[in-house]
Amino acid sequence: MLLFSLEKALKLTEGIGTESCADYRRRLLGHHPSICTNLAHHYCRLAKAKSHVEANLMLLRTDDYLKLGSGSDSLYLSCPDDELRDFAKWHSHNLEKLIIRKVRRGSSKTVIQLAIDYLEHRGLTFPLDNPFEASQEEIAGAIARVKCDLWWRQKLRKLQDIKMETVQIEMGQVNKVAGIYASHNCVKRKFAQAARNKDVLAQYVAENDLGQSFTLLDIAERGVSNPVNRRNELMTRIAGFEAIGKARGHKGVFVTLTAPSKYHSFLSKPCVSNPKYQSLTPADAQSYFNGQWRKVRAKLKRDNIAPYGFRVVEPHHDGCPHWHMLLFIEPEKKQALIDTLTHYALQIDGSEAGAETHRIKVEYIDQKKGTAAGYIAKYISKSIDGAKLDADLYGQDAVKSAGRIRAWASAWKIRQFQQIGGPPVTVWRELRRLTAGDKKETALEGLSDDHLRQIADAADTGDWQAFTELFGGPIIARKDQPIRPFEIVKDKPSRYEEAAKQLIGLIYRTSEFIQTRFRTWEIKRKESFNTSATALFSSSGGANAPPLEFCQ
């Protein structure tokens, strides 16, 4: 199949340039069989628009950009995952050997420099920002990482996601005509990764101190990694914020923020290359939004304005992110909030054509036309699983679009949903874990007042409004929060011989401990699991479902 793709790519570029150009194309396109057809199409477009020389330079730049290392131990990031795994395994073990030899003869500084140079030559960075100023414990953890093939694999896959999708955007493969939100190559790769992860989870079993056991796949499907559970929890919290706003007389505003034109590789109508595009990636655009949002928050804090609500990040058809925010605010502060958002939305390139029209869009929530949660529900569904939607904004099947959006978010490491204000969701989940088990009364008895029991009951009934109000309101400062997660250091160190923390419960008013996790668990491979001695459950629901005490 890959050989056929290469031959097709060579056929497409046949006759362009000189005879030596043909040999040059065969060699470079042969390095990237998974994307060589797209590369060939892009090559042809460049040769026609500019010259075969410019097309050759593009091919050289792309080949160099996707190459890690040199000589016989190099890797092209367009490779399949098994080649990436082999590369990670070989180099982690080789670096370990080099470090062992260097330790016998040199100082810790020479060992660190060896690792830094070795990693940089292969496109990776040492896992400490200031290694020569770090403690011995920090250095030991970093050295343990660079000797681990799993660490290498994780970093290489992240690099592959970013570089491969950057190339796809440059080739015009991310837009509503070629591949909406993310390239076909990216979607295929991320779906394959999800399938591998699912297979791995199915191969492992968690056993607790009572002898109960569940596959990790069943456990994952019972938690918020399950799209249905994730969507339901988000909507519960959003509806709770809306109820708070209504009870307090606050106004709801729905704000959409769009990045400057230079971040968009393609226009929408018509779907053609954007002449203002400056080769910036979705990660660059998200960094722009985060930077402007930090300025907004600082300004709002100075002006004593504290909105609460949710933010959703989703891609335009060309992969460039934009933000949707559902915010609730006191009526007298509403205009100041909008003015601040508008100022920073137009602060960079605000004079370009269309900026005042497209950079920020504000809709005031009208309860007569629908709920505030209804405004944002479709964006949440579109970004998770496409449930209850027929099509997305561009007329694409909503379920398929949701899969592409998940692939996009995974590739660019973009956080899709962010709560603004309100109590920490970790406390909510821990209290729901507690109330779902049989240890609630034991854990809560002996407390000095009934306040925590009321908060726990609100979490138990899924009442985010009551939970938030009892917690101190939607804009409570961190230092004033009555409940915080409580962690202990595990008996066993992490994979990298570092102290590992474990969440076991909550601290109420800085002094009283509430245990929410009562079982101890051990993870084993199915093959080494003694099914005759324990009860192995494989159902994701019903009587044999994993308990919420472990799943959430």
Side-chain angles (χ1 to χ4, degrees):
M1 183 65 181
L2 293 179
L3 181 61
F4 171 77
S5 296
L6 177 58
E7 293 303 321
K8 180 181 178 182
L10 294 173
K11 187 71 174 177
L12 286 168
T13 58
E14 194 173 31
I16 299 177
T18 65
E19 186 175 333
S20 61
C21 288
D23 296 334
Y24 172 84
R25 289 194 298 269
R26 175 176 286 276
R27 179 168 59 85
L28 267 63
L29 290 172
H31 293 159
H32 313 282
S34 65
I35 61 170
C36 63
T37 303
N38 288 339
L39 271 172
H41 281 294
H42 189 48
Y43 182 95
C44 293
R45 287 193 295 268
L46 269 180
K48 183 178 180 180
K50 296 184 178 180
S51 68
H52 74 275
V53 175
E54 191 65 35
N56 285 338
L57 289 173
M58 175 280 298
L59 208 53
L60 181 62
R61 285 194 304 269
T62 302
D63 186 75
D64 186 61
Y65 181 67
L66 293 177
K67 184 179 181 180
L68 302 181
S70 60
S72 59
D73 72 345
S74 61
L75 177 78
Y76 290 99
L77 289 172
S78 55
C79 68
D81 193 70
D82 56 346
E83 290 185 22
L84 185 147
R85 292 165 67 97
D86 290 343
F87 185 86
K89 186 174 182 178
W90 193 91
H91 280 288
S92 60
H93 292 174
N94 188 52
L95 181 54
E96 181 177 18
K97 294 176 185 176
L98 295 174
I99 288 173
I100 290 172
R101 288 203 292 265
K102 184 65 73 173
V103 166
R104 292 170 181 165
R105 298 178 302 185
S107 65
S108 62
K109 287 187 176 181
T110 61
V111 172
I112 293 170
Q113 193 60 56
L114 165 70
I116 290 173
D117 293 341
Y118 193 95
L119 291 168
E120 285 185 351
H121 185 61
R122 289 152 187 87
L124 302 181
T125 56
F126 193 73
L128 276 179
D129 291 334
N130 298 299
F132 298 110
E133 300 175 11
S135 66
Q136 288 300 314
E137 292 77 11
E138 291 172 327
I139 293 171
I143 294 296
R145 282 173 169 79
V146 303
K147 296 188 298 182
C148 176
D149 66 316
L150 295 179
W151 180 87
W152 274 75
R153 197 187 307 170
Q154 180 188 47
K155 297 302 179 183
L156 288 171
R157 284 175 176 157
K158 181 178 180 180
L159 193 61
Q160 183 183 54
D161 284 342
I162 293 171
K163 288 202 167 191
M164 281 290 287
E165 199 64 353
T166 298
V167 168
Q168 294 285 354
I169 291 172
E170 182 183 345
M171 293 191 299
Q173 295 302 310
V174 182
N175 56 68
K176 63 183 180 182
V177 174
I180 195 165
Y181 308 128
S183 69
H184 295 315
N185 181 275
C186 172
V187 173
K188 182 180 179 181
R189 191 172 63 253
K190 301 309 289 187
F191 278 22
Q193 182 179 344
R196 288 196 306 271
N197 292 345
K198 193 171 183 178
D199 288 342
V200 169
L201 291 175
Q203 293 170 20
Y204 284 85
V205 172
E207 180 186 7
N208 66 20
D209 51 340
L210 297 180
Q212 297 173 316
S213 55
F214 313 94
T215 69
L216 296 189
L217 180 59
D218 288 330
I219 293 167
E221 290 177 347
R222 289 269 290 174
V224 291
S225 58
N226 181 314
V228 175
N229 294 345
R230 188 183 188 193
R231 186 182 68 252
N232 288 343
E233 185 191 74
L234 282 168
M235 292 309 302
T236 294
R237 289 153 64 194
I238 291 168
F241 273 150
E242 179 179 11
I244 291 170
K246 188 175 181 180
R248 291 186 172 209
H250 294 172
K251 298 299 181 181
V253 293
F254 187 74
V255 180
T256 300
L257 299 174
T258 302
S261 183
K262 63 186 178 185
Y263 292 99
H264 298 265
S265 61
F266 266 71
L267 303 176
S268 180
K269 296 178 182 179
C271 183
V272 295
S273 296
N274 177 16
K276 295 182 180 180
Y277 179 55
Q278 295 183 12
S279 297
L280 296 165
T281 69
D284 294 324
Q286 182 68 358
S287 179
Y288 154 78
F289 279 123
N290 286 332
Q292 295 306 99
W293 178 242
R294 284 192 293 270
K295 296 175 186 177
V296 168
R297 289 177 58 194
K299 171 64 173 170
L300 294 179
K301 186 176 182 179
R302 291 194 297 270
D303 295 341
N304 193 31
I305 299 173
Y308 56 95
F310 266 86
R311 182 209 73 193
V312 177
V313 182
E314 64 170 5
H316 287 287
H317 74 106
D318 63 351
C320 180
H322 60 282
W323 284 20
H324 298 294
M325 293 191 292
L326 176 62
L327 303 172
F328 298 93
I329 191 69
E330 298 96 318
E332 65 275 14
K333 297 180 179 180
K334 182 179 66 175
Q335 192 56 52
L337 169 65
I338 299 303
D339 290 344
T340 299
L341 286 167
T342 301
H343 171 77
Y344 288 105
L346 297 172
Q347 186 183 41
I348 297 175
D349 298 340
S351 60
E352 67 179 2
E356 292 188 4
T357 303
H358 300 294
R359 289 287 184 83
I360 181 168
K361 180 182 178 182
V362 179
E363 298 177 69
Y364 298 100
I365 305 301
D366 186 348
Q367 295 290 339
K368 296 178 182 178
K369 297 181 179 179
T371 65
Y375 275 76
I376 203 169
K378 64 180 180 180
Y379 298 105
I380 288 177
S381 180
K382 174 185 171 183
S383 298
I384 294 179
D385 58 4
K388 299 181 181 180
L389 295 176
D390 295 326
D392 65 9
L393 179 65
Y394 303 99
Q396 306 280 338
D397 179 84
V399 174
K400 292 181 179 178
S401 288
R404 299 187 74 91
I405 291 172
R406 292 198 304 273
W408 166 83
S410 175
W412 292 108
K413 307 298 180 285
I414 289 177
R415 185 174 184 176
Q416 293 175 275
F417 311 105
Q418 175 68 57
Q419 179 179 307
I420 299 170
V425 71
T426 298
V427 174
W428 162 269
R429 289 172 181 166
E430 287 303 299
L431 288 174
R432 285 179 62 77
R433 174 200 304 278
L434 175 64
T435 54
D438 58 359
K439 302 287 187 178
K440 176 182 177 182
E441 296 304 320
T442 302
L444 299 182
E445 67 182 8
L447 293 176
S448 58
D449 62 51
D450 197 43
H451 186 221
L452 177 62
R453 186 178 296 273
Q454 294 175 13
I455 297 176
D457 288 341
D460 183 27
T461 57
D463 190 341
W464 182 262
Q465 178 189 10
F467 176 79
T468 300
E469 293 290 19
L470 288 165
F471 205 86
I475 54 174
I476 185 173
R478 181 179 176 81
K479 63 181 179 61
D480 297 325
Q481 292 176 357
I483 311 173
R484 296 186 183 183
F486 183 75
E487 297 176 325
I488 60 170
V489 177
K490 289 183 177 181
D491 294 333
K492 294 182 180 180
S494 72
R495 179 190 303 277
Y496 305 116
E497 297 301 316
E498 296 171 325
K501 292 184 177 181
Q502 177 183 3
L503 178 63
I504 63 167
L506 303 167
I507 285 290
Y508 177 60
R509 299 202 183 284
T510 71
S511 59
E512 298 183 84
F513 170 64
I514 309 98
Q515 187 173 358
T516 59
R517 304 189 180 211
F518 299 89
R519 304 272 72 86
T520 57
W521 297 83
E522 183 178 1
I523 309 298
K524 302 178 181 178
R525 266 192 176 274
K526 269 189 176 182
E527 291 80 359
S528 62
F529 190 77
N530 185 3
T531 54
S532 62
T534 54
L536 176 60
F537 305 114
S538 59
S539 169
S540 60
N544 287 341
L548 216 61
E549 184 270 323
F550 182 59
C551 299
Q552 282 195 324

